[in-house]
Each structure stands twice: as structure tokens, then as C-alpha cells.
Amino acid sequence: MLIVGIVAGIALLVVLIVVWVVKRSDGRYRFRPSFEAVCEVTVGGRTLVAYSGHRKVIRLADPVEREDTAVLTDSRTWIRALCEIHVDGRPLLASGGRDGVVRLWDLENRGELVASLTGHRGWVFALCTLRVSGCDLLASAGRDGAIRIWDPRDGRLVRTMVAGPRRPWTYALCQVRTGGRTLLASGHGNGTVNLWHAESGQPVLELVAHKRVVWTLCEVSDGDRTLLATGGWDGNVRMWDLEEPRETHAFTAGVGPVYALCQAEAGDRTLLVAGGDGPGTAVWDPFTGERAGDLGMDLAGFLSGHGWVRAACQVRQAQGPPLIITGGYDDGVRVWDVAKEIGAPPPERRAP
């Protein structure tokens, strides 16, 4: 009877906790992420973070003060991608989402909408800056499988690349600088990653990277070495040396798909943050394959939904260490000092 009573008490406690979490969240976090896009932006000389999701607004926040500074309300669509791009030295914010329109926002001028780039059919899932001939171009991709390159100075479509009919929706884009070349990496719904020459748009390489969807891509560089990190539906993170080319390391980030990757500077170390389904966000040494630690691996994060991360980025402060921003099912983004959280080990542990 005592054992039955203990089991019943534990079951009741679990039910009460679940009810409390659902009531606290109005049920919103159970079915869709609150935030699916985060990126670093510069406004008036300040380093801020932009974040957004299904609520159809873009929020700007000071990551040090932990407070919102502005809200852009004119997007009117579910946003899946954010990216800062510079036009003649002026920073703009690009956004893309459900309606297939890529929008450019002038954050220095009260968040004015300065351009709407149309052409995609369906969702825009990914955006990234692409440096070509000394100018920043904007790459976008999504449900229609086409990768479009835009000149943000006048909104002109520079070129369109299509990976082919066997490569469905494109979920991730990333610029990679390696071997004196600038490449554009694209991650697809069939598990492949394509590399494109930035200036010509010609295909360079194809990687069979994951089972099913490639959700996220990230360039990782410590100044001496540059690798491409890929993450996807199979829950694995893979590191690629594109010069050889070959896979250098593979590791499992959590208990489910990997949706977010970003480089993290922790003291003298260059690390990789990997977020997805499951409590906590993993931190890895991308050059040795060693797990360096975790962010938010606790019961509170598990219950609130924060462990289910959909977006991550690094923010470099004018003073102080770089910060990592993560967003997902929680009702807000989290700010992390990685070196402090994991107690960054000495650099001599890194592989030569």
C-alpha cells in the first residue's frame, strides 16, 4: 500500500506540474514554437538582437539589459528567417516567412519597411548574407526549392539557382569561406547539402549529410581552420572539411532533430552550440568532437519548453564576452555567457 501511495502521489504531482505549465503558457507552447528566428543587429551603434516567430511581429532587444527596445508590427506574416545585411554601410534587417515575401527593414529609421522582394512561391525558410566582389548580397530560399540572390541596394534579382527536382524544399543557407573561395551552402529536405560558387552560382559540391531534412547549417572558423557544420532530422551534427572534402566529426546533440547551430566564442576557444528537441542545448568543440557542456539542462527548462530550441545566434558586445541567444517554445529568448556556463576549459585541449 505504501508503494501504491507513493506512485499515486508522484503521478498527482506530475499532473499538477503539467497543468500549471499549460495554464501559465495559455497552451501556446505545446503545438508551435513562439520564436523561430534570431539574429544580431546594429541600431544606432548598439548591438541588439532581433527575434520573431508565429506572432507576426519582430522584436528588438538589448541582450545585456534583457529587455525589448522596439517592436515592428508591419510584417503581418509568420516569420521563419531573419538576417542583417549592410547596404553602403547602412545596416538593414531582412525577414522572410509564410507569405513568400522577403522584406527589408531600416532599423535606423524607426524600423521603416524599405523593400519587399517577391518571387518565392510559398514559405521562405532561410536567409543569409553573401559577400560577392566586395558587396553584400542577400540569399533566400524556401518551399519552392529555388535559391534566389538579391541585390539589397535596389531589390534586383541577381540570379536564381535550382538544385534539381530531386531536392525538395530548402530549409537552410550559409556562407562558407574556404580555400580562398566564398561558397553558399544550401540544406535540403532530402538530407543533401549543396555548395555553390558565390560569384557564378555554379554548383561545386554535393554532400549526402543527413537522413531526411537538413534543418540548419553553420560556418565554424577559428582563424586557422574553417569547417561547415550541418544538423538535421536524424538528430546528428556533422562537421565537414570542404577542402578535401570529408566529414571530420559527427555527434548527437540531444534526443531529437537539430534545428539550430551557431558558433560560440568562449575565452580562447571556438565552440559550436547545437539546439533542438530535448532538454538543454549542447555545446561542442567542433575541431575535436568533444562535448564541452550544456546550456539550460535543468527541470525548469524542460517544463517551460525552452529546451526545444529552434534558433540560435551569437551577439558580440562592445564590452564583455560574446553572448549566445536561443529561442524556441519558451515565451521569450534566452541569453547565455557560454564561457561562464560551461567553465571553458583551457585551449590546450584542442586538437592541432
Side-chain angles (χ1 to χ4, degrees), residues 98-256:
R98 186 172 187 171
D99 63 0
V101 179
V102 177
R103 293 178 173 85
L104 299 180
W105 310 86
D106 186 349
L107 301 183
E108 299 283 359
N109 189 20
R110 300 181 181 181
E112 178 187 2
L113 178 63
V114 296
S116 296
L117 312 179
T118 60
H120 283 289
R121 300 186 305 276
W123 285 85
V124 172
F125 292 129
L127 297 168
C128 85
T129 300
L130 190 63
R131 190 74 172 172
V132 177
S133 301
C135 295
D136 284 344
L137 302 181
L138 180 66
S140 63
R143 183 173 179 174
D144 59 9
I147 302 168
R148 288 176 166 81
I149 310 298
W150 311 87
D151 188 334
R153 293 172 295 183
D154 54 14
R156 177 174 57 91
L157 179 63
V158 177
R159 71 176 58 89
T160 300
M161 296 108 74
V162 179
R166 298 184 60 185
R167 296 166 184 82
W169 303 358
T170 302
Y171 289 95
L173 293 172
C174 174
Q175 176 179 262
V176 185
R177 289 150 293 194
T178 180
R181 300 180 300 172
T182 299
L183 304 178
L184 176 66
S186 58
H188 304 280
N190 64 348
T192 62
V193 174
N194 279 77
L195 281 301
W196 311 81
H197 192 276
E199 294 196 13
S200 67
Q202 294 299 308
V204 174
L205 178 67
E206 178 182 290
L207 305 173
V208 180
H210 296 273
K211 296 178 181 178
R212 299 181 65 180
V213 182
V214 177
W215 288 117
T216 179
L217 302 169
C218 177
E219 178 191 56
V220 182
S221 177
D222 64 356
D224 297 323
R225 298 160 293 179
T226 297
L227 301 176
L228 174 66
T230 66
W233 183 269
D234 56 11
N236 295 318
V237 176
R238 301 186 185 279
M239 308 301 304
W240 304 87
D241 183 336
L242 300 181
E243 282 298 290
E244 299 198 11
R246 65 184 179 91
E247 179 185 312
T248 61
H249 296 96
F251 37 82
T252 302
V255 297

